[in-house]
Every structure is written in C-alpha cells, then in structure tokens.
Amino acid sequence: MKKALLVSLALAFPLAAQAAVTAVCDGGTGGDKSVTKGSNFIINDFTMKCSANVYLKYDENATAVGVAAVSKKGKNIFAGGSAGGQVKPTGTTCTNCTDTSITDTIVAAALAGS
C-alpha cells in the first residue's frame, strides 16, 4: 500500500508543478495577440502575430517554453520547444480542428523537448 501511494504521488507531482497551458491564437481572423510575462521562462510582455485559422497554445516552466499549433482546416498538429525540441508534426492529426485538438499532453511533450 505504501508503494502504491508513493507511485501515485510521484506521478501526480509533475502534473501539479506544471503551469497551466495558455491559448494565444484562437483560430479566428488572426492579427496581433498579447502574451503577458509570467514568473517562469517568459520574462517580457510581447505581441505575437497570429495567422488566420490557426490555434496556438503554449506552456512554460523555469527553464523552457513549449508551443503547439494547428490549422482550423486540419491535418497535422505541430509542436516544438526551447528545450531542444524542434518544430515537427506530433503524430496527432485532426480534421476540422478546434482549440481542444491541442491537448495539454501535446504541449507538455513540446515543453519537455520531445
């Protein structure tokens, strides 16, 4: 029982320590979107240019940022991060994609550099 509790805590801790995934581009007409500095990797506010029909989400920790994006029209979800993860298809596809097509797991993998 003690081992099961320790394993449960070990699996839950990374999820609790991770910041919330933030949506920036909303799949609309595009344009400038503000990104506000946090207490982690992003230390300055900046304006991002979003393309029309694109959804984009990111997450950050103290040493890296991970980003994932998909076109509303669908096919591949692309992700990458500053921890050595190149921007590449995630292997997850969708048609008529929405913001929920980019899951927290996809963004977390980009943040981890995989």
Side-chain angles (χ1 to χ4, degrees):
M1 181 67 163
K2 202 183 249 186
K3 287 181 183 178
L5 178 62
L6 290 174
V7 170
S8 298
L9 289 173
L11 292 174
F13 179 73
L15 298 174
Q18 187 173 343
V21 172
T22 304
V24 179
C25 300
D26 59 9
T29 59
D32 293 341
K33 304 290 181 176
S34 296
V35 177
T36 306
K37 69 181 176 181
S39 57
N40 288 305
F41 190 80
I42 299 173
I43 59 171
N44 293 313
D45 296 343
F46 65 94
T47 302
M48 171 186 248
K49 173 113 19 214
C50 292
S51 296
N53 302 316
V54 170
Y55 295 100
L56 183 138
K57 294 181 180 181
Y58 76 92
D59 195 4
E60 61 178 322
N61 62 27
T63 59
V65 64
V67 179
V70 67
S71 168
K72 188 184 280 188
K73 296 176 183 177
K75 187 69 172 143
N76 292 305
I77 298 173
F78 291 88
S82 63
Q86 66 182 358
V87 176
K88 60 185 176 185
T90 62
T92 302
T93 61
C94 56
T95 54
N96 298 318
C97 303
T98 66
D99 62 333
T100 58
S101 300
I102 304 172
T103 64
D104 291 357
T105 304
I106 291 171
V107 180
L111 180 62
S114 10

